Amino acid sequence: MQKAALGALAGILATTVVAVFGAPQSDADLLREMKDRVQIEDLMWRYTRALDTNDPDAYAAAYTVDGQFGAGGNATKGRDALRKMIADLRQRAVDAQAKGERRPPLYHMTANERITFSDKDHARVEAYYITASPAGGPNAPLRVVAVGRSIDDLVRVDGQWLIKTRNVAPQD
């Protein structure tokens, strides 16, 4: 009797898995998702490039109007605050250079990115990140500045994917 019940339960479980994960999508849905993935990859490239070049306008443009970097009480919220955050980074670099200090550039990289969609207008990008400073000659090798995990919640606004929240220190 137990074997029959276990067999029936396994059959129900297998049917559920196929129904949830194997449900066929229409060609239009598959094409939209493929296009969305390309647009999201482009968004994340533009975000990273804006950060690496300290471009406040391009950085803020990657976010929704009420977008947020960080989590909790220290989060930076809204395009104006995000723009100021990067403008302040740029100004610190200019001030350091004026004092004769050499600050090597930083390069932000992501790895093992995973894009999931909760619906046609909301997506999540999970990834690992590495921030590195390039080698400065034989006595100054490449330096890894930071590593971690990020979670980006994205939303489509007027046909364009934008970052709603970016968390580079998730607690899970």
Side-chain angles (χ1 to χ4, degrees), residues 8-150:
L9 182 59
I12 291 169
L13 181 60
T15 302
T16 302
V17 168
V18 168
V20 171
F21 296 105
Q25 287 184 295
S26 72
D27 288 347
D29 288 339
L30 288 172
L31 182 59
R32 184 195 72 244
E33 186 174 305
M34 288 172 53
K35 287 179 178 180
D36 289 342
R37 287 178 183 280
V38 169
Q39 291 171 0
I40 288 168
E41 288 173 2
D42 182 65
L43 167 68
M44 298 313 290
W45 164 253
R46 287 183 285 113
Y47 163 85
T48 301
R49 189 66 185 140
L51 179 59
D52 287 347
T53 59
N54 291 328
D55 183 335
D57 293 325
Y59 184 85
Y63 284 87
T64 60
V65 172
D66 61 345
Q68 172 178 314
F69 174 82
N74 293 329
T76 303
K77 298 178 184 178
R79 276 192 182 155
D80 290 339
L82 293 162
R83 187 178 291 108
K84 181 181 181 330
M85 180 179 77
I86 300 303
D88 290 349
L89 285 175
R90 175 183 264 182
Q91 188 59 52
R92 283 198 294 270
V94 167
D95 293 346
Q97 188 173 18
K99 294 176 187 176
E101 298 173 9
R102 185 186 180 292
R103 287 198 177 173
L106 294 177
Y107 296 103
H108 296 78
M109 297 159 271
T110 57
N112 297 350
E113 290 179 335
R114 177 179 182 233
I115 301 171
T116 55
F117 296 90
S118 55
D119 61 40
K120 70 179 186 65
D121 293 320
H122 295 86
R124 175 171 275 190
V125 179
E126 297 178 84
Y128 291 105
Y129 65 84
I130 304 162
T131 304
S133 179
N139 296 323
L142 168 96
R143 184 171 59 95
V144 174
V145 177
V147 295
R149 183 170 164 261
S150 61

